[in-house]
Amino acid sequence: MKILVCIKQVGDDGDMNRFDAHALEEALFIKEHSDNTMPEPVSVDIVTAGPSTAEKIIRRAFGMGADRGFHIVTENSDYISSFVTAFGLSAVAKKTSYDLILTGIMSEDMMAGQTGPMMAKILNLPCATGVIKIFLPLTGKTIKVEREMENGFRDGLVILLPAVLTIQAGINTPRYPCLSNMLSANRKQILSLSSEDLFWEPIRARESCIGMEDPEKARTGRVLEGSVADKAAQLFSFLREKNLI
Amino acid sequence: MKQILVIAEIFKGRIRPVTWELVAGARKIAAILSQTRNIPGKHLPCIQIIVPSDNPKPLAEKISEQTGNAVIGLQIPGFKTYTSDIYIDCLGQLIREMTPTHILAAHTSQGRDFAPGLALELNAASISGINHIRFDETGLFYSRPVLDNTKNMLVRPDPDRPVMLTLMPGVFKPDSHKKGKTKQVDILKISFGSDACENSRIQPTKILKRPCENQALKGAKIIVAAGRGVEKKENLELISRFADCFSSSAVGASRPLVDMGWIGYEHQVGITGTIVAPEVYIACGISGSSQHIAGMKDTKCVISINKNPTAPIFRHSDICITADVLEFIHAFLTLPDPV
Ligand SMILES: Cc1cc2nc3c(=O)[nH]c(=O)nc-3n(C[C@H](O)[C@H](O)[C@H](O)COP(=O)(O)OP(=O)(O)OC[C@H]3O[C@@H](n4cnc5c(N)ncnc54)[C@H](O)[C@@H]3O)c2cc1C
Ligand SMILES: Nc1ncnc2c1ncn2[C@@H]1O[C@H](COP(=O)(O)O)[C@@H](O)[C@H]1O
């Protein structure tokens, strides 16, 4: 069984998107707990599209235990459409016949939650978003999952493989990279691909970013001034006035 | 005629109220289109609401009655519960025969699940999580939260194709319902692919409800809620001591604390936890994600303690306290009682 996990670099520190760490952890967990039940060994590949600095999270993924790492090297760019990303990642996915493709439920920077379901459509695979539980062991043909809905509801599903799942935080606790993996990670080769290697035809975004704004204030927001003790005293008298303390 | 389509959100055979927000969003788009384009009245964009179900007639009639808009009941034989495969296929078949400019769904666990795939199926643009609908001389554009809710990004779809939009729940205020002016209700039957629903690649087993005894949260006048800013599980002890200062209080938490197993699910505030509206909500080291805010925005008075003065939570607060939350609570607990 072959698993592909899509990981994205986000934030000023260039860390792995939090939800993607959960997706990778889940893939590694499946690998460790299905090797006996599956006809063939389980492998976990990762793919990321991003500038050269994204190598950092590939190394981290190796450190956590990923087998192969693909890097679609892109220019630094302010806006990348989920649509374009999904085509790029799908092109990598097509090179190997993966049984399971995992993404995070959303990226912390773009917060779109679109890349996974779009990949599923491009690859003509079934897709479930917000997966909060995967039932193990896997046996091969199908996968049993629960996806999270609002207000504590969960949707139980049995999905035919190959499939795309987007992973919600809370499914597991991502491991830290381990030393022995980190050492061998440095020897592992990152398989770099340019967009020209992948795109059979240029994919253009269907929307464009025309600006950024600060969100408006929903409440007045009185700012307390002074030392920490002053602020604490002000809060105390405020609550005392309201008869709450 | 150009159409603005709304996909009603149906859960367990019922219309979810977010549907009325989608209709409000569609009306806003229609109003902008008719205002900015010099189109004669009869070409005004028309709003149509689509209700997928195995027996859509009663739901469709109810929606038509409540909104006064035209409704299409999409009858899918053998359809039991929502799956993305069935929605994308059946809605795709229906909408391909129409000429929509905009297709609206909710940015909920259901809408997020099928909208991106449906957009691709229809060769449409796709923009998710919209919190504002705006326009300028070039046309409509949309705002959506990005960068951990610290900014809004303004996005404009290409004009030459339809656009699929998912609207953030709780943002677009439903209009007061127009009763009595019931418009047309059409029932259209569409089968899932060449197959029956039983052959779908996604088989629903059952819908479960996570047991949640959250009476404490619901009943409290003051909720003291902890976020990742409390840094360590052990520090929740301090949060409890803070909460104990008040006569009617409970401890809440942001989702990551529950996910990490620091505190039980019954304490989680937010869209996937409990929705609360106490007199005072004290957010301790919570950044203010839209999913958390949606769970406490009807609070009377919001007080936030955060060490980052630009944390999004401060935009949703009546009182902003920029401080290390642990230091602040220590200071509060050691105040000389002024009485
Ligand atoms: C589909 C979906 C559903 C979700 N549902 C929910 C939900 O129901 N409820 C929910 O809460 N979240 C939910 N989330 C998660 C949500 O997106 C955020 O990840 C989460 O709310 C962030 O929690 P936080 O504010 O505690 O952590 P962070 O975002 O990490 O914020 C921590 C804050 O603490 C501050 N801080 C750090 N140290 C200190 C200190 N010493 N003193 C003071 N301040 C400090 C930081 O400045 C920061 O603002 C959901 C996400 C998804 C995708
Ligand atoms: N540039 C990228 N490289 C790899 N994976 C990505 C990239 N962008 C998005 N993804 C994946 O798609 C998920 C959803 O992203 P988004 O649609 O941006 O919210 C992320 O959690 C990642 O798993």
Side-chain angles (χ1 to χ4, degrees), chain B residues 20-22 33 53 61 77 92 139 165 200-201 210 216 243 254 259 264 273 279 281 283 317 325 329 335:
Chain B
W20 316 127
E21 299 176 20
L22 299 177
L33 288 179
S53 169
E61 282 170 350
L165 307 169
S200 167
R201 300 177 296 186
R210 201 166 164 184
S254 70
D259 287 346
E279 269 180 47
Y281 190 86
S317 304
V325 66
I329 296 175
L335 277 177

Side-chain angles (χ1 to χ4, degrees), chain A residues 18-19 105-106 108 111 130 148 150 168-169, chain B residues 109 112 148-149 226-231 253-257 259 268-274 284-293 295 305-309 311-313 323-327:
Chain A
R18 202 157 55 84
F19 299 103
I105 186 172
M106 68 174 190
E108 290 169 274
M111 305 179 76
E148 190 185 48
E150 288 75 13
Q168 168 66 302
Chain B
S109 62
R112 281 197 308 268
D148 252 336
N149 298 280
R228 279 210 292 183
V230 302
E231 289 169 4
S254 70
R255 176 173 177 137
L257 270 52
D259 287 346
Q268 184 182 319
V269 173
I271 197 121
T272 48
T274 303
C284 305
I286 292 179
S287 65
S289 69
S290 57
Q291 293 94 358
H292 189 84
I293 300 295
I305 308 156
N306 198 301
K307 69 175 179 191
N308 174 6
I313 188 82
D324 179 288
V325 66
L326 307 171
E327 234 178 86

Side-chain angles (χ1 to χ4, degrees), chain A residues 11-238:
Chain A
D12 296 335
D13 301 331
D15 288 331
M16 190 186 300
N17 185 39
R18 202 157 55 84
F19 299 103
D20 304 353
H22 288 285
L24 179 53
E25 173 61 37
E26 200 59 21
L28 295 169
F29 192 82
I30 292 173
K31 177 179 157 125
E32 288 155 1
H33 291 83
S34 301
D35 264 352
N36 299 331
T37 56
M38 299 291 292
E40 45 158 335
V42 180
S43 66
V44 177
D45 292 352
I46 58 98
V47 59
T48 189
S52 53
T53 53
E55 223 183 282
K56 174 175 163 188
I57 61 163
I58 304 180
R59 295 282 169 213
R60 184 174 176 95
F62 284 155
M64 287 171 72
D67 295 303
R68 292 194 298 169
F70 295 99
H71 185 181
I72 307 174
V73 185
T74 60
E75 304 278 301
N76 258 316
S77 163
D78 288 342
Y79 180 71
I80 296 175
S81 165
S82 304
F83 177 73
V84 175
T85 305
F87 268 96
L89 299 176
S90 298
V92 172
K94 276 180 188 161
K95 288 174 175 272
T96 306
S97 45
Y98 290 103
D99 304 281
L100 189 59
I101 298 175
L102 304 182
T103 75
I105 186 172
M106 68 174 190
S107 56
E108 290 169 274
D109 52 358
M110 285 305 298
M111 305 179 76
Q114 300 209 87
T115 307
M118 284 184 169
M119 286 178 74
K121 187 73 204 160
I122 294 162
L123 298 165
N124 189 22
L125 299 178
C127 176
T129 57
V131 169
I132 192 83
K133 186 168 185 162
I134 295 180
F135 290 85
L136 296 183
L138 293 186
T139 48
K141 281 208 160 41
T142 59
I143 188 165
K144 190 176 169 205
V145 306
E146 281 173 17
R147 61 184 290 269
E148 190 185 48
M149 297 183 285
E150 288 75 13
N151 307 325
F153 282 103
R154 289 179 174 201
D155 202 359
L157 302 168
V158 174
I159 305 172
L160 196 65
L161 293 174
V164 178
L165 305 177
T166 83
I167 301 297
Q168 168 66 302
I171 193 171
N172 56 36
T173 308
R175 70 194 64 190
Y176 288 100
C178 81
L179 192 60
S180 64
N181 280 342
M182 280 308 253
L183 292 174
S184 61
N186 291 327
R187 290 194 301 274
K188 270 196 187 160
Q189 208 194 334
I190 296 174
L191 304 153
S192 291
L193 304 152
S194 69
S195 26
E196 291 81 56
D197 293 338
L198 293 167
F199 296 162
W200 54 103
E201 60 184 83
I203 297 297
R204 217 177 47 80
R206 293 172 173 178
E207 75 288 332
S208 45
C209 168
I210 57 169
M212 297 285 254
E213 276 184 357
D214 286 330
E216 75 278 26
K217 274 187 163 183
R219 290 174 190 252
T220 47
R222 185 178 130 209
V223 181
L224 301 190
E225 306 286 350
S227 69
V228 172
D230 293 343
K231 290 174 184 170
Q234 289 175 59
L235 181 65
F236 188 94
S237 30
F238 176 82

Side-chain angles (χ1 to χ4, degrees), chain B:
Chain B
M1 197 196 317
K2 295 290 186 199
Q3 295 126 344
I4 299 169
L5 302 180
V6 170
I7 318 288
E9 183 149 308
I10 311 296
F11 180 62
K12 289 190 152 196
R14 293 193 174 188
I15 305 160
R16 290 195 65 200
V18 70
T19 304
W20 316 127
E21 299 176 20
L22 299 177
V23 174
R27 288 189 179 148
K28 175 143 196 197
I29 292 173
I32 293 171
L33 288 179
S34 51
Q35 177 184 338
T36 52
R37 279 188 212 157
N38 207 3
I39 19 181
K42 65 179 166 144
H43 291 305
L44 276 186
C46 101
I47 297 171
Q48 281 187 300
I49 303 162
I50 302 174
V51 195
S53 169
D54 64 335
N55 175 29
K57 196 155 178 278
L59 296 170
E61 282 170 350
K62 184 163 175 205
I63 292 177
S64 166
E65 199 179 294
Q66 292 250 12
T67 62
N69 285 111
V71 182
I72 299 174
L74 177 61
Q75 189 185 356
I76 308 168
F79 173 83
K80 286 194 193 72
T81 48
Y82 163 85
T83 70
S84 56
D85 261 11
I86 295 176
Y87 260 46
I88 292 169
D89 183 274
C90 296
L91 286 168
Q93 290 183 57
L94 171 73
I95 299 173
R96 239 181 279 121
E97 304 302 318
M98 306 173 79
T99 49
T101 53
H102 299 78
I103 306 154
L104 276 61
H107 196 66
T108 53
S109 62
Q110 188 177 102
R112 281 197 308 268
D113 199 53
F114 75 82
L118 181 60
L120 262 59
E121 175 77 23
L122 298 168
N123 265 315
S126 183
I127 307 176
S128 64
I130 284 154
N131 57 14
H132 287 289
I133 296 169
R134 306 209 345 224
F135 68 101
D136 59 13
E137 60 286 351
T138 318
L140 280 149
F141 61 93
Y142 308 91
S143 132
R144 53 184 306 280
V146 293
L147 303 173
D148 252 336
N149 298 280
T150 55
K151 292 277 176 190
N152 278 339
M153 180 180 264
L154 308 177
V155 185
R156 192 191 310 279
D158 287 356
D160 53 355
R161 56 173 92 238
V163 59
M164 173 92 228
L165 307 169
T166 59
L167 305 193
M168 277 294 183
V171 175
F172 297 90
K173 293 277 160 287
D175 306 342
S176 53
H177 297 145
K178 295 176 185 166
K179 287 222 162 62
K181 278 205 307 179
T182 302
K183 279 261 187 68
Q184 196 177 342
V185 172
D186 291 314
I187 305 296
L188 293 173
K189 194 165 157 179
I190 283 183
S191 310
F192 172 62
S194 50
D195 287 325
C197 293
E198 298 90 76
N199 297 332
S200 167
R201 300 177 296 186
I202 305 175
Q203 289 301 326
T205 52
K206 62 170 176 248
I207 292 174
L208 311 122
K209 171 105 176 134
R210 201 166 164 184
C212 184
E213 291 300 327
N214 52 17
Q215 287 318 309
L217 274 188
K218 292 269 190 196
K221 276 193 183 162
I222 297 192
I223 294 177
V224 178
R228 279 210 292 183
V230 302
E231 289 169 4
K232 283 203 297 261
K233 182 178 179 183
E234 292 68 45
N235 292 335
L236 287 175
E237 171 61 30
L238 193 63
I239 298 290
S240 297
R241 280 173 53 205
F242 188 26
D244 286 343
C245 297
F246 316 109
S247 52
S248 164
S249 66
V251 172
S254 70
R255 176 173 177 137
L257 270 52
V258 178
D259 287 346
M260 290 185 291
W262 291 7
I263 192 167
Y265 172 66
E266 65 278 11
H267 295 274
Q268 184 182 319
V269 173
I271 197 121
T272 48
T274 303
I275 312 274
V276 298
E279 269 180 47
V280 177
Y281 190 86
I282 310 184
C284 305
I286 292 179
S287 65
S289 69
S290 57
Q291 293 94 358
H292 189 84
I293 300 295
M296 42 64 83
K297 68 172 171 23
D298 293 330
T299 299
K300 273 214 197 92
C301 174
V302 179
I303 298 166
S304 301
I305 308 156
N306 198 301
K307 69 175 179 191
N308 174 6
T310 63
I313 188 82
F314 286 141
R315 295 196 309 266
H316 301 271
S317 304
D318 301 285
I319 296 187
C320 308
I321 300 167
T322 311
D324 179 288
V325 66
L326 307 171
E327 234 178 86
F328 179 85
I329 296 175
H330 274 299
F332 191 91
L333 294 175
T334 51
L335 277 177
D337 194 329
V339 181

